[in-house]
Amino acid sequence: SQTIHQWPATLVQPVGSPLSLECTVEGTSNPNLYWYRQAAGRGLQLLFYSVGIGQISSEVPQNLSASRPQDRQFILSSKKLLLSDSGFYLCAWTRQQNYEQYFGPGTRLTVT
Amino acid sequence: RKEVEQDPGPFNVPEGATVAFNCTYSNSASQSFFWYRQDCRKEPKLLMSVYSSGNEDGRFTAQLNRASQYISLLIRDSKLSDSATYLCVVKSWQGKSTFGDGTTLTVKP
């Protein structure tokens, strides 16, 4: 069966500090991978998606970036965090683009 | 206008009640439809896919109306454990998912 991992679970970072969140998927190959952010009490906002190694599409311009160095690894980064980057960051995978998505447990980020 | 709209609620219902949620979408070319459930401070979990012919999974029934561009979720015989936020998801033919902001359900004893 497939599983998706994210870490860390929670993170408190000062404004201006760098960020690296990691997501890995097990039990499948060549998944489509996604990064979402959810602000408190709001819906999910798609940040990035990837259909393969090194292929990243950005949905929302901001100070975040994503990379996919391996087939089942997806990394979300920032060089300098802003207060507005606080939120619940969720990684998701899907087998093919019209199939259902499965989410990791998420990282709750607070920028202070 | 949002691409996917849901009544945020909250819906407060007694145990055993039947409750229905609707979700409207603006892109007539949307291909796939889903309902997710999200508990407080947890990740969304797939509840069910929504098929053109309608589908049922136990106490849950999902329906799609392409002509009117809405999907619905019906929960029968509500349980306390059904309390959660229900997210409507619409996927375009390119595979992009758009999430509604969710409908909050509280089932009370």
PDB file of all heavy atoms in Angstrom, chain A residues 2 8 23 31 34 42 47-48 56 63 65 71 76 85 91 96-97 105-106 108:
ATOM      1  N   GLN A   2       0.271   2.351  -0.411  1.00  0.00           N
ATOM      2  CA  GLN A   2       1.023   3.586  -0.507  1.00  0.00           C
ATOM      3  C   GLN A   2       0.922   4.404   0.778  1.00  0.00           C
ATOM      4  O   GLN A   2      -0.130   4.436   1.417  1.00  0.00           O
ATOM      5  CB  GLN A   2       0.491   4.431  -1.668  1.00  0.00           C
ATOM      6  CG  GLN A   2       0.587   3.762  -3.015  1.00  0.00           C
ATOM      7  CD  GLN A   2      -0.601   2.841  -3.284  1.00  0.00           C
ATOM      8  OE1 GLN A   2      -1.600   2.885  -2.609  1.00  0.00           O
ATOM      9  NE2 GLN A   2      -0.448   1.978  -4.271  1.00  0.00           N
ATOM     10  N   PRO A   8       8.918  18.485   9.193  1.00  0.00           N
ATOM     11  CA  PRO A   8       8.432  18.136  10.530  1.00  0.00           C
ATOM     12  C   PRO A   8       6.916  18.309  10.651  1.00  0.00           C
ATOM     13  O   PRO A   8       6.291  18.841   9.749  1.00  0.00           O
ATOM     14  CB  PRO A   8       9.154  19.162  11.408  1.00  0.00           C
ATOM     15  CG  PRO A   8       9.306  20.354  10.534  1.00  0.00           C
ATOM     16  CD  PRO A   8       9.544  19.815   9.133  1.00  0.00           C
ATOM     17  N   CYS A  23       8.660  15.940   1.810  1.00  0.00           N
ATOM     18  CA  CYS A  23       7.556  15.013   1.613  1.00  0.00           C
ATOM     19  C   CYS A  23       8.082  13.810   0.831  1.00  0.00           C
ATOM     20  O   CYS A  23       8.794  13.987  -0.167  1.00  0.00           O
ATOM     21  CB  CYS A  23       6.454  15.716   0.824  1.00  0.00           C
ATOM     22  SG  CYS A  23       5.140  14.656   0.204  1.00  0.00           S
ATOM     23  N   PRO A  31       4.623   9.227  -9.143  1.00  0.00           N
ATOM     24  CA  PRO A  31       3.376   9.886  -8.753  1.00  0.00           C
ATOM     25  C   PRO A  31       3.377  11.340  -9.184  1.00  0.00           C
ATOM     26  O   PRO A  31       4.437  11.942  -9.372  1.00  0.00           O
ATOM     27  CB  PRO A  31       3.389   9.775  -7.236  1.00  0.00           C
ATOM     28  CG  PRO A  31       4.847   9.826  -6.890  1.00  0.00           C
ATOM     29  CD  PRO A  31       5.549   9.091  -8.003  1.00  0.00           C
ATOM     30  N   TYR A  34       2.057  17.249  -5.103  1.00  0.00           N
ATOM     31  CA  TYR A  34       1.467  18.579  -4.919  1.00  0.00           C
ATOM     32  C   TYR A  34       1.852  19.153  -3.559  1.00  0.00           C
ATOM     33  O   TYR A  34       1.942  18.416  -2.580  1.00  0.00           O
ATOM     34  CB  TYR A  34      -0.063  18.507  -4.974  1.00  0.00           C
ATOM     35  CG  TYR A  34      -0.617  17.870  -6.230  1.00  0.00           C
ATOM     36  CD1 TYR A  34      -0.682  16.483  -6.351  1.00  0.00           C
ATOM     37  CD2 TYR A  34      -1.083  18.649  -7.286  1.00  0.00           C
ATOM     38  CE1 TYR A  34      -1.188  15.892  -7.509  1.00  0.00           C
ATOM     39  CE2 TYR A  34      -1.594  18.063  -8.441  1.00  0.00           C
ATOM     40  CZ  TYR A  34      -1.637  16.691  -8.541  1.00  0.00           C
ATOM     41  OH  TYR A  34      -2.143  16.103  -9.671  1.00  0.00           O
ATOM     42  N   ARG A  42      -9.676  28.300   6.293  1.00  0.00           N
ATOM     43  CA  ARG A  42      -9.828  28.512   4.853  1.00  0.00           C
ATOM     44  C   ARG A  42      -9.637  27.206   4.082  1.00  0.00           C
ATOM     45  O   ARG A  42      -9.275  26.177   4.638  1.00  0.00           O
ATOM     46  CB  ARG A  42      -8.802  29.538   4.379  1.00  0.00           C
ATOM     47  CG  ARG A  42      -8.901  30.891   5.039  1.00  0.00           C
ATOM     48  CD  ARG A  42     -10.212  31.585   4.722  1.00  0.00           C
ATOM     49  NE  ARG A  42     -10.420  31.764   3.303  1.00  0.00           N
ATOM     50  CZ  ARG A  42      -9.910  32.767   2.604  1.00  0.00           C
ATOM     51  NH1 ARG A  42      -9.171  33.684   3.185  1.00  0.00           N
ATOM     52  NH2 ARG A  42     -10.153  32.856   1.305  1.00  0.00           N
ATOM     53  N   LEU A  47       0.045  25.347  -4.301  1.00  0.00           N
ATOM     54  CA  LEU A  47       1.271  26.117  -4.449  1.00  0.00           C
ATOM     55  C   LEU A  47       2.105  25.619  -5.632  1.00  0.00           C
ATOM     56  O   LEU A  47       2.513  26.383  -6.493  1.00  0.00           O
ATOM     57  CB  LEU A  47       2.097  26.039  -3.166  1.00  0.00           C
ATOM     58  CG  LEU A  47       1.417  26.510  -1.880  1.00  0.00           C
ATOM     59  CD1 LEU A  47       2.335  26.250  -0.690  1.00  0.00           C
ATOM     60  CD2 LEU A  47       1.070  27.979  -1.974  1.00  0.00           C
ATOM     61  N   PHE A  48       2.385  24.320  -5.631  1.00  0.00           N
ATOM     62  CA  PHE A  48       3.215  23.727  -6.677  1.00  0.00           C
ATOM     63  C   PHE A  48       2.710  22.325  -6.987  1.00  0.00           C
ATOM     64  O   PHE A  48       2.135  21.664  -6.127  1.00  0.00           O
ATOM     65  CB  PHE A  48       4.684  23.596  -6.215  1.00  0.00           C
ATOM     66  CG  PHE A  48       5.333  24.884  -5.842  1.00  0.00           C
ATOM     67  CD1 PHE A  48       5.338  25.308  -4.522  1.00  0.00           C
ATOM     68  CD2 PHE A  48       5.937  25.680  -6.807  1.00  0.00           C
ATOM     69  CE1 PHE A  48       5.933  26.511  -4.165  1.00  0.00           C
ATOM     70  CE2 PHE A  48       6.531  26.886  -6.454  1.00  0.00           C
ATOM     71  CZ  PHE A  48       6.525  27.296  -5.133  1.00  0.00           C
ATOM     72  N   ILE A  56       8.576  21.110 -12.187  1.00  0.00           N
ATOM     73  CA  ILE A  56       7.810  21.827 -11.176  1.00  0.00           C
ATOM     74  C   ILE A  56       6.974  22.896 -11.864  1.00  0.00           C
ATOM     75  O   ILE A  56       7.488  23.655 -12.692  1.00  0.00           O
ATOM     76  CB  ILE A  56       8.738  22.530 -10.157  1.00  0.00           C
ATOM     77  CG1 ILE A  56       9.760  21.554  -9.579  1.00  0.00           C
ATOM     78  CG2 ILE A  56       7.907  23.200  -9.068  1.00  0.00           C
ATOM     79  CD1 ILE A  56       9.170  20.455  -8.739  1.00  0.00           C
ATOM     80  N   ASN A  63       7.290  33.852  -2.319  1.00  0.00           N
ATOM     81  CA  ASN A  63       8.695  33.623  -1.983  1.00  0.00           C
ATOM     82  C   ASN A  63       8.990  32.170  -1.658  1.00  0.00           C
ATOM     83  O   ASN A  63       9.952  31.876  -0.959  1.00  0.00           O
ATOM     84  CB  ASN A  63       9.081  34.519  -0.809  1.00  0.00           C
ATOM     85  CG  ASN A  63       8.386  34.094   0.477  1.00  0.00           C
ATOM     86  OD1 ASN A  63       7.231  33.699   0.447  1.00  0.00           O
ATOM     87  ND2 ASN A  63       9.091  34.151   1.587  1.00  0.00           N
ATOM     88  N   SER A  65       9.597  28.095  -3.097  1.00  0.00           N
ATOM     89  CA  SER A  65      10.012  27.322  -4.262  1.00  0.00           C
ATOM     90  C   SER A  65       9.877  25.853  -3.937  1.00  0.00           C
ATOM     91  O   SER A  65       9.749  25.466  -2.766  1.00  0.00           O
ATOM     92  CB  SER A  65      11.460  27.645  -4.652  1.00  0.00           C
ATOM     93  OG  SER A  65      12.344  27.306  -3.601  1.00  0.00           O
ATOM     94  N   ASP A  71      12.202  10.679  -7.550  1.00  0.00           N
ATOM     95  CA  ASP A  71      10.851  10.361  -8.020  1.00  0.00           C
ATOM     96  C   ASP A  71       9.792  10.532  -6.942  1.00  0.00           C
ATOM     97  O   ASP A  71       8.687  11.001  -7.209  1.00  0.00           O
ATOM     98  CB  ASP A  71      10.829   8.930  -8.564  1.00  0.00           C
ATOM     99  CG  ASP A  71       9.469   8.549  -9.106  1.00  0.00           C
ATOM    100  OD1 ASP A  71       8.868   9.373  -9.836  1.00  0.00           O
ATOM    101  OD2 ASP A  71       8.990   7.434  -8.807  1.00  0.00           O
ATOM    102  N   LEU A  76       9.674  21.629  -0.294  1.00  0.00           N
ATOM    103  CA  LEU A  76       9.209  23.012  -0.340  1.00  0.00           C
ATOM    104  C   LEU A  76      10.208  23.868   0.425  1.00  0.00           C
ATOM    105  O   LEU A  76      10.581  23.526   1.546  1.00  0.00           O
ATOM    106  CB  LEU A  76       7.818  23.132   0.288  1.00  0.00           C
ATOM    107  CG  LEU A  76       7.176  24.517   0.270  1.00  0.00           C
ATOM    108  CD1 LEU A  76       6.788  24.908  -1.145  1.00  0.00           C
ATOM    109  CD2 LEU A  76       5.938  24.542   1.172  1.00  0.00           C
ATOM    110  N   ASP A  85       3.542  33.599   5.521  1.00  0.00           N
ATOM    111  CA  ASP A  85       3.801  32.204   5.153  1.00  0.00           C
ATOM    112  C   ASP A  85       3.284  31.221   6.195  1.00  0.00           C
ATOM    113  O   ASP A  85       3.295  30.010   5.971  1.00  0.00           O
ATOM    114  CB  ASP A  85       5.313  31.983   4.955  1.00  0.00           C
ATOM    115  CG  ASP A  85       5.837  32.695   3.725  1.00  0.00           C
ATOM    116  OD1 ASP A  85       5.110  32.757   2.718  1.00  0.00           O
ATOM    117  OD2 ASP A  85       6.989  33.191   3.771  1.00  0.00           O
ATOM    118  N   CYS A  91       1.248  18.074   1.674  1.00  0.00           N
ATOM    119  CA  CYS A  91       1.750  17.425   0.472  1.00  0.00           C
ATOM    120  C   CYS A  91       0.736  16.365   0.059  1.00  0.00           C
ATOM    121  O   CYS A  91       0.106  15.740   0.920  1.00  0.00           O
ATOM    122  CB  CYS A  91       3.101  16.790   0.768  1.00  0.00           C
ATOM    123  SG  CYS A  91       3.879  15.948  -0.624  1.00  0.00           S
ATOM    124  N   GLN A  96      -2.528   9.401 -11.350  1.00  0.00           N
ATOM    125  CA  GLN A  96      -2.642  10.115 -12.616  1.00  0.00           C
ATOM    126  C   GLN A  96      -3.463  11.355 -12.358  1.00  0.00           C
ATOM    127  O   GLN A  96      -4.160  11.450 -11.365  1.00  0.00           O
ATOM    128  CB  GLN A  96      -3.312   9.245 -13.685  1.00  0.00           C
ATOM    129  CG  GLN A  96      -2.504   8.034 -14.071  1.00  0.00           C
ATOM    130  CD  GLN A  96      -3.207   7.186 -15.113  1.00  0.00           C
ATOM    131  OE1 GLN A  96      -3.964   7.709 -15.933  1.00  0.00           O
ATOM    132  NE2 GLN A  96      -2.967   5.886 -15.089  1.00  0.00           N
ATOM    133  N   GLN A  97      -3.418  12.283 -13.279  1.00  0.00           N
ATOM    134  CA  GLN A  97      -3.888  13.616 -12.928  1.00  0.00           C
ATOM    135  C   GLN A  97      -5.385  13.693 -12.649  1.00  0.00           C
ATOM    136  O   GLN A  97      -5.820  14.599 -11.961  1.00  0.00           O
ATOM    137  CB  GLN A  97      -3.496  14.621 -14.007  1.00  0.00           C
ATOM    138  CG  GLN A  97      -4.075  14.343 -15.383  1.00  0.00           C
ATOM    139  CD  GLN A  97      -3.553  15.364 -16.395  1.00  0.00           C
ATOM    140  OE1 GLN A  97      -2.522  16.006 -16.162  1.00  0.00           O
ATOM    141  NE2 GLN A  97      -4.225  15.509 -17.501  1.00  0.00           N
ATOM    142  N   PRO A 105       0.318  14.004   6.434  1.00  0.00           N
ATOM    143  CA  PRO A 105      -0.214  14.520   7.701  1.00  0.00           C
ATOM    144  C   PRO A 105      -0.047  16.029   7.874  1.00  0.00           C
ATOM    145  O   PRO A 105      -0.660  16.611   8.756  1.00  0.00           O
ATOM    146  CB  PRO A 105       0.575  13.760   8.760  1.00  0.00           C
ATOM    147  CG  PRO A 105       1.838  13.371   8.076  1.00  0.00           C
ATOM    148  CD  PRO A 105       1.481  13.130   6.646  1.00  0.00           C
ATOM    149  N   GLY A 106       0.770  16.658   7.044  1.00  0.00           N
ATOM    150  CA  GLY A 106       0.903  18.105   7.071  1.00  0.00           C
ATOM    151  C   GLY A 106       1.956  18.622   8.025  1.00  0.00           C
ATOM    152  O   GLY A 106       2.393  17.930   8.955  1.00  0.00           O
ATOM    153  N   ARG A 108       2.542  22.102  10.308  1.00  0.00           N
ATOM    154  CA  ARG A 108       1.940  23.364  10.767  1.00  0.00           C
ATOM    155  C   ARG A 108       3.075  24.347  11.026  1.00  0.00           C
ATOM    156  O   ARG A 108       3.875  24.150  11.944  1.00  0.00           O
ATOM    157  CB  ARG A 108       1.117  23.121  12.023  1.00  0.00           C
ATOM    158  CG  ARG A 108       0.134  24.232  12.328  1.00  0.00           C
ATOM    159  CD  ARG A 108      -0.961  23.776  13.283  1.00  0.00           C
ATOM    160  NE  ARG A 108      -1.788  22.698  12.746  1.00  0.00           N
ATOM    161  CZ  ARG A 108      -2.824  22.900  11.935  1.00  0.00           C
ATOM    162  NH1 ARG A 108      -3.140  24.103  11.552  1.00  0.00           N
ATOM    163  NH2 ARG A 108      -3.522  21.866  11.516  1.00  0.00           N
TER     164      ARG A 108
END
